[in-house]
Amino acid sequence: MSSFDQTNTEPSSRTMENDARQQMTGHGPVAAGEIAIGVVIGRASEYFDFFVYGLASVLVFPALFFPFVDSLTGTLYSFTIFAVAFITRPFGTALFMGIQRRWGRGTKLTLALFLLGTATAGIAFLPTYESFGALSIALLVLFRSLQGIAFGGSWDGLPSLLALNAPKQRRGWYAMLGQLGAPVGFLVASALFLFLHSTLSAEDFLGWGWRYPFFVAFAINVVALFARLRLVLTEQYTKLLEEGELEPIGTWEMLAGQGYNLFIGAFAALASYALFHIVTIFPLSWITLRATQSINDVLVVQVVGAFVAMAATIASGLIADRIGRRTTLTALAILIAIFGFTAPMLLNSQAAGQDAFILIGFALLGLSYGQSSGTVTANFTSRFRYTGAALTSDLAWLLGAAFAPLVALGLSMHFGLVAVSLYLLSGAACTVLALWINRRLKPLTLRKRG
């Protein structure tokens, strides 16, 4: 790790990036709207990769990679591997921050997105347990680990740049734009799985159909790469980053300088991140294992839920600009806690109740996730903000979302759905506490800057 904490700029690599930048600067100054488009495209492509894996963890992997155990145990094993990417993600952030300092932003982003696309597409070629035995599971773990490393490395600083250039009275709106890629990515992934699962026979879907979304992921990443490079390699973009001092620093320097802000920021977003996989991945597994309605019906509801989340995410920007981002997050944390108490009643009911849980959950997710970034990362001084924002997001995903499907499903099957209530309640409590601490510490932070 220490080797990545040193600044070592090679003229040849910088010259190559400058040449590429000159070839791609055929337009005027970078506007906030253009940055926003880059953010949405980039996040949507990344989340598509992750949601394709998440949905396959329920619909495919238990049967093909864990046929030697029952369906519940196979799904729990699958969710365990699902969490691996969130564990490796911070390491990917640290690794690629070092690559950026040495070889430049364009090289870093190209390597990260090609690794993400390759790791995701590689899963499409995996042999099943029936063909390769335990080696197939080991390869699945490997590719999932690479997904996490690449996801951490794909941080381009666009959300931070967007926040710095947002008008003061519209910060909530611009913060929302950086989060809109998540429901867009889930919408495309769930719609694709719905199409394949509903049009193919069960034999064809498990035989080859499930592999198609993983192939698509590589193509999407290539398109997203060029769209983002067109922006991040412009002279105007680089100038904006330099003016905001948004440059990568070493991880250990980050932790020593303002490490406390990482943890406050991660916990401030915990209610939203805890809810994230509870409404996207967990309900599909719960309903599938209990066979209370068809998989296709659940996927249809989740596609509708993705649209609901998109609308709610947009609405969060308007609400936050009116009442403040911190107030918005606090209110949503309380609503998520209340929603958690309804989980046993809704998920244990018929299809209408289960669908209501998904749709209400998506609405709360959009409202809360839309403002989950930026509220606390603004506490970072300019020097630490680029790396700090990336690591705060990594930590929030790890603490709040990584193990949510595994914990919720495992505990619910043994102790009942009250486990989901407690999981969401704990996330909401952490958010309220972190926001309170942040409010108390903010005057001290401002005095230090002054």
Short mmCIF file of all heavy atoms in Angstrom, two decimals, residues 295-355:
data_model
loop_
_atom_site.label_atom_id
_atom_site.label_comp_id
_atom_site.label_asym_id
_atom_site.label_seq_id
_atom_site.Cartn_x
_atom_site.Cartn_y
_atom_site.Cartn_z
N ILE A 295 -41.79 -15.54 -10.26
CA ILE A 295 -40.60 -14.69 -10.41
C ILE A 295 -40.87 -13.56 -11.40
O ILE A 295 -40.46 -12.42 -11.17
CB ILE A 295 -39.40 -15.54 -10.84
CG1 ILE A 295 -38.98 -16.48 -9.71
CG2 ILE A 295 -38.23 -14.64 -11.25
CD1 ILE A 295 -37.89 -17.45 -10.09
N ASN A 296 -41.54 -13.87 -12.48
CA ASN A 296 -41.82 -12.84 -13.48
C ASN A 296 -42.66 -11.71 -12.90
O ASN A 296 -42.43 -10.53 -13.20
CB ASN A 296 -42.52 -13.45 -14.69
CG ASN A 296 -41.61 -14.34 -15.51
OD1 ASN A 296 -40.39 -14.23 -15.43
ND2 ASN A 296 -42.20 -15.21 -16.31
N ASP A 297 -43.63 -12.05 -12.07
CA ASP A 297 -44.46 -11.02 -11.45
C ASP A 297 -43.64 -10.12 -10.54
O ASP A 297 -43.83 -8.90 -10.51
CB ASP A 297 -45.60 -11.67 -10.66
CG ASP A 297 -46.66 -12.29 -11.56
OD1 ASP A 297 -46.67 -11.97 -12.76
OD2 ASP A 297 -47.47 -13.12 -11.06
N VAL A 298 -42.71 -10.72 -9.80
CA VAL A 298 -41.86 -9.92 -8.91
C VAL A 298 -40.96 -9.00 -9.73
O VAL A 298 -40.78 -7.82 -9.38
CB VAL A 298 -41.01 -10.84 -8.00
CG1 VAL A 298 -40.13 -9.99 -7.08
CG2 VAL A 298 -41.89 -11.74 -7.18
N LEU A 299 -40.41 -9.52 -10.81
CA LEU A 299 -39.54 -8.69 -11.65
C LEU A 299 -40.31 -7.53 -12.28
O LEU A 299 -39.77 -6.43 -12.43
CB LEU A 299 -38.89 -9.56 -12.74
CG LEU A 299 -37.81 -10.54 -12.26
CD1 LEU A 299 -37.36 -11.45 -13.40
CD2 LEU A 299 -36.62 -9.80 -11.68
N VAL A 300 -41.55 -7.76 -12.65
CA VAL A 300 -42.38 -6.67 -13.19
C VAL A 300 -42.54 -5.57 -12.14
O VAL A 300 -42.39 -4.37 -12.44
CB VAL A 300 -43.76 -7.19 -13.63
CG1 VAL A 300 -44.71 -6.03 -13.90
CG2 VAL A 300 -43.64 -8.05 -14.87
N VAL A 301 -42.84 -5.97 -10.91
CA VAL A 301 -43.01 -4.99 -9.84
C VAL A 301 -41.70 -4.25 -9.59
O VAL A 301 -41.70 -3.03 -9.34
CB VAL A 301 -43.50 -5.68 -8.55
CG1 VAL A 301 -43.54 -4.69 -7.39
CG2 VAL A 301 -44.88 -6.29 -8.76
N GLN A 302 -40.58 -4.95 -9.69
CA GLN A 302 -39.30 -4.29 -9.45
C GLN A 302 -38.95 -3.32 -10.58
O GLN A 302 -38.31 -2.29 -10.33
CB GLN A 302 -38.20 -5.34 -9.26
CG GLN A 302 -38.35 -6.10 -7.95
CD GLN A 302 -37.09 -6.84 -7.54
OE1 GLN A 302 -36.49 -7.54 -8.36
NE2 GLN A 302 -36.69 -6.69 -6.30
N VAL A 303 -39.35 -3.64 -11.79
CA VAL A 303 -39.16 -2.68 -12.89
C VAL A 303 -39.97 -1.42 -12.62
O VAL A 303 -39.48 -0.29 -12.78
CB VAL A 303 -39.57 -3.31 -14.24
CG1 VAL A 303 -39.64 -2.25 -15.33
CG2 VAL A 303 -38.56 -4.39 -14.65
N VAL A 304 -41.22 -1.60 -12.20
CA VAL A 304 -42.04 -0.44 -11.83
C VAL A 304 -41.40 0.30 -10.66
O VAL A 304 -41.36 1.54 -10.64
CB VAL A 304 -43.47 -0.89 -11.46
CG1 VAL A 304 -44.29 0.30 -10.95
CG2 VAL A 304 -44.16 -1.54 -12.66
N GLY A 305 -40.88 -0.46 -9.69
CA GLY A 305 -40.21 0.15 -8.55
C GLY A 305 -39.02 0.99 -8.95
O GLY A 305 -38.75 2.03 -8.33
N ALA A 306 -38.30 0.56 -9.98
CA ALA A 306 -37.15 1.34 -10.45
C ALA A 306 -37.61 2.71 -10.97
O ALA A 306 -36.95 3.72 -10.71
CB ALA A 306 -36.41 0.58 -11.55
N PHE A 307 -38.74 2.73 -11.68
CA PHE A 307 -39.29 4.02 -12.13
C PHE A 307 -39.70 4.88 -10.94
O PHE A 307 -39.50 6.10 -10.93
CB PHE A 307 -40.48 3.80 -13.06
CG PHE A 307 -40.10 3.42 -14.46
CD1 PHE A 307 -40.31 2.13 -14.93
CD2 PHE A 307 -39.54 4.36 -15.32
CE1 PHE A 307 -39.97 1.78 -16.23
CE2 PHE A 307 -39.20 4.03 -16.63
CZ PHE A 307 -39.41 2.73 -17.08
N VAL A 308 -40.30 4.24 -9.94
CA VAL A 308 -40.68 4.96 -8.72
C VAL A 308 -39.44 5.55 -8.06
O VAL A 308 -39.45 6.72 -7.62
CB VAL A 308 -41.43 4.03 -7.75
CG1 VAL A 308 -41.64 4.72 -6.40
CG2 VAL A 308 -42.76 3.60 -8.33
N ALA A 309 -38.38 4.76 -7.97
CA ALA A 309 -37.14 5.24 -7.35
C ALA A 309 -36.54 6.40 -8.13
O ALA A 309 -36.01 7.36 -7.54
CB ALA A 309 -36.13 4.10 -7.25
N MET A 310 -36.60 6.34 -9.46
CA MET A 310 -36.09 7.46 -10.27
C MET A 310 -36.87 8.74 -9.99
O MET A 310 -36.28 9.81 -9.80
CB MET A 310 -36.18 7.09 -11.75
CG MET A 310 -35.20 6.01 -12.20
SD MET A 310 -35.54 5.37 -13.86
CE MET A 310 -35.36 6.85 -14.83
N ALA A 311 -38.20 8.63 -9.96
CA ALA A 311 -39.02 9.82 -9.67
C ALA A 311 -38.75 10.34 -8.27
O ALA A 311 -38.66 11.56 -8.05
CB ALA A 311 -40.50 9.46 -9.83
N ALA A 312 -38.60 9.43 -7.31
CA ALA A 312 -38.35 9.84 -5.93
C ALA A 312 -36.97 10.47 -5.79
O ALA A 312 -36.79 11.42 -5.01
CB ALA A 312 -38.48 8.64 -5.00
N THR A 313 -36.00 9.96 -6.52
CA THR A 313 -34.65 10.54 -6.48
C THR A 313 -34.69 11.98 -6.99
O THR A 313 -34.07 12.88 -6.39
CB THR A 313 -33.69 9.70 -7.34
OG1 THR A 313 -33.66 8.36 -6.85
CG2 THR A 313 -32.28 10.28 -7.27
N ILE A 314 -35.39 12.19 -8.07
CA ILE A 314 -35.53 13.56 -8.61
C ILE A 314 -36.24 14.45 -7.60
O ILE A 314 -35.84 15.60 -7.36
CB ILE A 314 -36.28 13.52 -9.95
CG1 ILE A 314 -35.44 12.78 -11.01
CG2 ILE A 314 -36.62 14.93 -10.42
CD1 ILE A 314 -36.16 12.51 -12.30
N ALA A 315 -37.30 13.92 -6.99
CA ALA A 315 -38.05 14.70 -5.99
C ALA A 315 -37.18 15.06 -4.79
O ALA A 315 -37.35 16.12 -4.19
CB ALA A 315 -39.28 13.91 -5.53
N SER A 316 -36.23 14.18 -4.45
CA SER A 316 -35.37 14.45 -3.29
C SER A 316 -34.57 15.73 -3.48
O SER A 316 -34.29 16.45 -2.52
CB SER A 316 -34.42 13.27 -3.04
OG SER A 316 -33.36 13.24 -3.99
N GLY A 317 -34.20 16.01 -4.74
CA GLY A 317 -33.45 17.24 -5.00
C GLY A 317 -34.27 18.47 -4.72
O GLY A 317 -33.79 19.45 -4.15
N LEU A 318 -35.55 18.42 -5.10
CA LEU A 318 -36.44 19.55 -4.86
C LEU A 318 -36.72 19.72 -3.36
O LEU A 318 -36.73 20.84 -2.84
CB LEU A 318 -37.75 19.34 -5.62
CG LEU A 318 -37.63 19.20 -7.15
CD1 LEU A 318 -38.98 18.84 -7.75
CD2 LEU A 318 -37.08 20.48 -7.77
N ILE A 319 -36.94 18.60 -2.69
CA ILE A 319 -37.23 18.65 -1.25
C ILE A 319 -36.03 19.16 -0.47
O ILE A 319 -36.16 20.02 0.42
CB ILE A 319 -37.65 17.26 -0.75
CG1 ILE A 319 -38.97 16.84 -1.41
CG2 ILE A 319 -37.77 17.24 0.77
CD1 ILE A 319 -39.35 15.40 -1.15
N ALA A 320 -34.84 18.64 -0.80
CA ALA A 320 -33.63 19.03 -0.06
C ALA A 320 -33.31 20.51 -0.24
O ALA A 320 -32.84 21.17 0.69
CB ALA A 320 -32.45 18.18 -0.51
N ASP A 321 -33.57 21.04 -1.43
CA ASP A 321 -33.31 22.46 -1.65
C ASP A 321 -34.30 23.34 -0.88
O ASP A 321 -34.01 24.51 -0.60
CB ASP A 321 -33.40 22.78 -3.14
CG ASP A 321 -32.16 22.33 -3.91
OD1 ASP A 321 -31.10 22.22 -3.27
OD2 ASP A 321 -32.27 22.08 -5.12
N ARG A 322 -35.43 22.77 -0.51
CA ARG A 322 -36.43 23.54 0.23
C ARG A 322 -36.21 23.45 1.74
O ARG A 322 -36.32 24.46 2.45
CB ARG A 322 -37.84 23.05 -0.12
CG ARG A 322 -38.96 23.79 0.59
CD ARG A 322 -40.30 23.35 0.06
NE ARG A 322 -40.50 23.79 -1.31
CZ ARG A 322 -41.01 24.97 -1.65
NH1 ARG A 322 -41.36 25.84 -0.71
NH2 ARG A 322 -41.16 25.29 -2.91
N ILE A 323 -35.89 22.26 2.26
CA ILE A 323 -35.79 22.09 3.72
C ILE A 323 -34.38 21.77 4.19
O ILE A 323 -34.14 21.70 5.39
CB ILE A 323 -36.76 21.00 4.23
CG1 ILE A 323 -36.35 19.62 3.69
CG2 ILE A 323 -38.19 21.33 3.81
CD1 ILE A 323 -37.18 18.49 4.25
N GLY A 324 -33.45 21.56 3.26
CA GLY A 324 -32.08 21.25 3.63
C GLY A 324 -31.77 19.77 3.52
O GLY A 324 -32.64 18.92 3.79
N ARG A 325 -30.56 19.44 3.11
CA ARG A 325 -30.19 18.04 2.91
C ARG A 325 -30.13 17.27 4.22
O ARG A 325 -30.56 16.12 4.30
CB ARG A 325 -28.84 17.95 2.19
CG ARG A 325 -28.92 18.33 0.72
CD ARG A 325 -27.58 18.20 0.05
NE ARG A 325 -26.63 19.17 0.56
CZ ARG A 325 -25.33 19.17 0.26
NH1 ARG A 325 -24.84 18.23 -0.53
NH2 ARG A 325 -24.53 20.09 0.73
N ARG A 326 -29.59 17.89 5.28
CA ARG A 326 -29.49 17.19 6.55
C ARG A 326 -30.88 16.89 7.12
O ARG A 326 -31.14 15.79 7.61
CB ARG A 326 -28.68 18.01 7.55
CG ARG A 326 -28.40 17.27 8.85
CD ARG A 326 -27.64 18.11 9.85
NE ARG A 326 -26.29 18.37 9.39
CZ ARG A 326 -25.86 19.56 8.97
NH1 ARG A 326 -26.69 20.58 8.94
NH2 ARG A 326 -24.62 19.72 8.57
N THR A 327 -31.78 17.86 7.03
CA THR A 327 -33.14 17.64 7.50
C THR A 327 -33.83 16.55 6.67
O THR A 327 -34.57 15.71 7.22
CB THR A 327 -33.95 18.94 7.41
OG1 THR A 327 -33.31 19.96 8.17
CG2 THR A 327 -35.37 18.75 7.92
N THR A 328 -33.59 16.55 5.37
CA THR A 328 -34.18 15.53 4.50
C THR A 328 -33.71 14.13 4.91
O THR A 328 -34.52 13.20 5.03
CB THR A 328 -33.80 15.79 3.04
OG1 THR A 328 -34.27 17.08 2.65
CG2 THR A 328 -34.41 14.74 2.12
N LEU A 329 -32.41 13.98 5.11
CA LEU A 329 -31.88 12.67 5.50
C LEU A 329 -32.40 12.22 6.85
O LEU A 329 -32.70 11.04 7.05
CB LEU A 329 -30.34 12.71 5.51
CG LEU A 329 -29.63 12.59 4.16
CD1 LEU A 329 -28.13 12.67 4.35
CD2 LEU A 329 -30.00 11.29 3.47
N THR A 330 -32.50 13.14 7.79
CA THR A 330 -33.00 12.79 9.12
C THR A 330 -34.45 12.33 9.04
O THR A 330 -34.83 11.30 9.63
CB THR A 330 -32.88 13.98 10.08
OG1 THR A 330 -31.52 14.40 10.16
CG2 THR A 330 -33.37 13.61 11.47
N ALA A 331 -35.26 13.07 8.31
CA ALA A 331 -36.67 12.71 8.16
C ALA A 331 -36.82 11.36 7.47
O ALA A 331 -37.65 10.52 7.88
CB ALA A 331 -37.40 13.80 7.37
N LEU A 332 -36.02 11.12 6.43
CA LEU A 332 -36.11 9.84 5.71
C LEU A 332 -35.63 8.69 6.57
O LEU A 332 -36.16 7.57 6.48
CB LEU A 332 -35.31 9.92 4.42
CG LEU A 332 -36.10 10.28 3.14
CD1 LEU A 332 -37.18 9.22 2.87
CD2 LEU A 332 -36.74 11.64 3.24
N ALA A 333 -34.63 8.92 7.42
CA ALA A 333 -34.18 7.86 8.32
C ALA A 333 -35.31 7.43 9.25
O ALA A 333 -35.51 6.23 9.52
CB ALA A 333 -32.97 8.34 9.13
N ILE A 334 -36.05 8.40 9.74
CA ILE A 334 -37.19 8.09 10.62
C ILE A 334 -38.26 7.32 9.85
O ILE A 334 -38.83 6.33 10.34
CB ILE A 334 -37.77 9.39 11.22
CG1 ILE A 334 -36.72 10.04 12.13
CG2 ILE A 334 -39.05 9.11 11.98
CD1 ILE A 334 -37.11 11.43 12.60
N LEU A 335 -38.53 7.74 8.61
CA LEU A 335 -39.53 7.05 7.79
C LEU A 335 -39.07 5.62 7.45
O LEU A 335 -39.89 4.70 7.41
CB LEU A 335 -39.78 7.83 6.51
CG LEU A 335 -40.55 9.15 6.66
CD1 LEU A 335 -40.66 9.86 5.32
CD2 LEU A 335 -41.94 8.90 7.25
N ILE A 336 -37.78 5.44 7.22
CA ILE A 336 -37.25 4.09 6.94
C ILE A 336 -37.41 3.20 8.16
O ILE A 336 -37.74 2.01 8.05
CB ILE A 336 -35.78 4.18 6.49
CG1 ILE A 336 -35.70 4.78 5.07
CG2 ILE A 336 -35.11 2.80 6.51
CD1 ILE A 336 -34.30 5.10 4.62
N ALA A 337 -37.18 3.76 9.34
CA ALA A 337 -37.36 2.99 10.58
C ALA A 337 -38.82 2.56 10.73
O ALA A 337 -39.12 1.40 11.06
CB ALA A 337 -36.92 3.82 11.78
N ILE A 338 -39.75 3.47 10.45
CA ILE A 338 -41.17 3.13 10.51
C ILE A 338 -41.53 2.08 9.47
O ILE A 338 -42.26 1.11 9.74
CB ILE A 338 -42.03 4.40 10.31
CG1 ILE A 338 -41.78 5.39 11.46
CG2 ILE A 338 -43.51 4.04 10.20
CD1 ILE A 338 -42.43 6.75 11.24
N PHE A 339 -40.98 2.26 8.27
CA PHE A 339 -41.21 1.29 7.20
C PHE A 339 -40.71 -0.09 7.61
O PHE A 339 -41.33 -1.12 7.28
CB PHE A 339 -40.51 1.76 5.93
CG PHE A 339 -40.49 0.76 4.81
CD1 PHE A 339 -41.64 0.44 4.12
CD2 PHE A 339 -39.29 0.15 4.44
CE1 PHE A 339 -41.62 -0.48 3.08
CE2 PHE A 339 -39.27 -0.77 3.40
CZ PHE A 339 -40.43 -1.08 2.72
N GLY A 340 -39.59 -0.14 8.32
CA GLY A 340 -39.04 -1.42 8.75
C GLY A 340 -40.00 -2.22 9.60
O GLY A 340 -40.05 -3.46 9.52
N PHE A 341 -40.79 -1.53 10.40
CA PHE A 341 -41.74 -2.23 11.27
C PHE A 341 -42.88 -2.86 10.48
O PHE A 341 -43.56 -3.76 10.98
CB PHE A 341 -42.31 -1.26 12.31
CG PHE A 341 -41.34 -0.92 13.41
CD1 PHE A 341 -40.84 0.37 13.52
CD2 PHE A 341 -40.92 -1.87 14.31
CE1 PHE A 341 -39.94 0.69 14.53
CE2 PHE A 341 -40.02 -1.58 15.32
CZ PHE A 341 -39.52 -0.29 15.43
N THR A 342 -43.08 -2.41 9.23
CA THR A 342 -44.15 -2.98 8.40
C THR A 342 -43.69 -4.22 7.64
O THR A 342 -44.52 -4.91 7.04
CB THR A 342 -44.66 -1.95 7.38
OG1 THR A 342 -43.65 -1.70 6.40
CG2 THR A 342 -45.03 -0.64 8.08
N ALA A 343 -42.39 -4.49 7.63
CA ALA A 343 -41.86 -5.59 6.83
C ALA A 343 -42.50 -6.93 7.15
O ALA A 343 -42.92 -7.65 6.22
CB ALA A 343 -40.34 -5.67 7.00
N PRO A 344 -42.62 -7.34 8.42
CA PRO A 344 -43.24 -8.64 8.70
C PRO A 344 -44.67 -8.74 8.17
O PRO A 344 -45.06 -9.76 7.60
CB PRO A 344 -43.19 -8.73 10.23
CG PRO A 344 -42.06 -7.84 10.62
CD PRO A 344 -42.11 -6.70 9.64
N MET A 345 -45.45 -7.68 8.36
CA MET A 345 -46.84 -7.71 7.94
C MET A 345 -46.96 -7.79 6.41
O MET A 345 -47.73 -8.59 5.87
CB MET A 345 -47.56 -6.46 8.45
CG MET A 345 -49.01 -6.36 8.00
SD MET A 345 -49.79 -4.82 8.51
CE MET A 345 -48.87 -3.63 7.50
N LEU A 346 -46.17 -6.97 5.70
CA LEU A 346 -46.29 -6.91 4.24
C LEU A 346 -45.71 -8.13 3.55
O LEU A 346 -46.33 -8.71 2.65
CB LEU A 346 -45.62 -5.63 3.73
CG LEU A 346 -46.27 -4.30 4.13
CD1 LEU A 346 -45.44 -3.13 3.63
CD2 LEU A 346 -47.70 -4.22 3.59
N LEU A 347 -44.51 -8.54 3.94
CA LEU A 347 -43.85 -9.65 3.26
C LEU A 347 -44.47 -11.00 3.59
O LEU A 347 -44.34 -11.96 2.82
CB LEU A 347 -42.35 -9.66 3.59
CG LEU A 347 -41.52 -8.56 2.91
CD1 LEU A 347 -40.09 -8.58 3.41
CD2 LEU A 347 -41.56 -8.70 1.39
N ASN A 348 -45.13 -11.10 4.73
CA ASN A 348 -45.80 -12.36 5.10
C ASN A 348 -47.22 -12.44 4.57
O ASN A 348 -47.92 -13.43 4.81
CB ASN A 348 -45.82 -12.53 6.62
CG ASN A 348 -44.57 -13.23 7.12
OD1 ASN A 348 -43.97 -14.02 6.39
ND2 ASN A 348 -44.17 -12.93 8.35
N SER A 349 -47.67 -11.40 3.85
CA SER A 349 -49.02 -11.39 3.31
C SER A 349 -49.04 -11.94 1.89
O SER A 349 -48.06 -12.54 1.43
CB SER A 349 -49.58 -9.97 3.36
OG SER A 349 -48.82 -9.12 2.51
N GLN A 350 -50.12 -11.69 1.18
CA GLN A 350 -50.24 -12.15 -0.19
C GLN A 350 -49.45 -11.22 -1.14
O GLN A 350 -48.76 -10.31 -0.70
CB GLN A 350 -51.71 -12.20 -0.59
CG GLN A 350 -52.53 -13.15 0.26
CD GLN A 350 -52.01 -14.58 0.21
OE1 GLN A 350 -51.73 -15.10 -0.87
NE2 GLN A 350 -51.87 -15.22 1.37
N ALA A 351 -49.62 -11.45 -2.43
CA ALA A 351 -48.84 -10.72 -3.43
C ALA A 351 -49.01 -9.21 -3.32
O ALA A 351 -48.04 -8.46 -3.47
CB ALA A 351 -49.23 -11.19 -4.83
N ALA A 352 -50.22 -8.75 -3.01
CA ALA A 352 -50.46 -7.31 -2.93
C ALA A 352 -49.61 -6.67 -1.84
O ALA A 352 -49.04 -5.58 -2.03
CB ALA A 352 -51.94 -7.03 -2.67
N GLY A 353 -49.51 -7.31 -0.69
CA GLY A 353 -48.70 -6.78 0.40
C GLY A 353 -47.21 -6.80 0.06
O GLY A 353 -46.48 -5.85 0.37
N GLN A 354 -46.76 -7.87 -0.56
CA GLN A 354 -45.36 -7.97 -0.95
C GLN A 354 -45.01 -6.92 -1.99
O GLN A 354 -43.94 -6.29 -1.93
CB GLN A 354 -45.08 -9.38 -1.48
CG GLN A 354 -45.24 -10.46 -0.42
CD GLN A 354 -45.23 -11.87 -1.01
OE1 GLN A 354 -45.37 -12.04 -2.22
NE2 GLN A 354 -45.08 -12.87 -0.16
N ASP A 355 -45.90 -6.71 -2.93
CA ASP A 355 -45.66 -5.67 -3.94
C ASP A 355 -45.64 -4.28 -3.31
O ASP A 355 -44.84 -3.42 -3.71
CB ASP A 355 -46.74 -5.73 -5.02
CG ASP A 355 -46.71 -7.03 -5.81
OD1 ASP A 355 -45.70 -7.76 -5.71
OD2 ASP A 355 -47.69 -7.31 -6.53
#
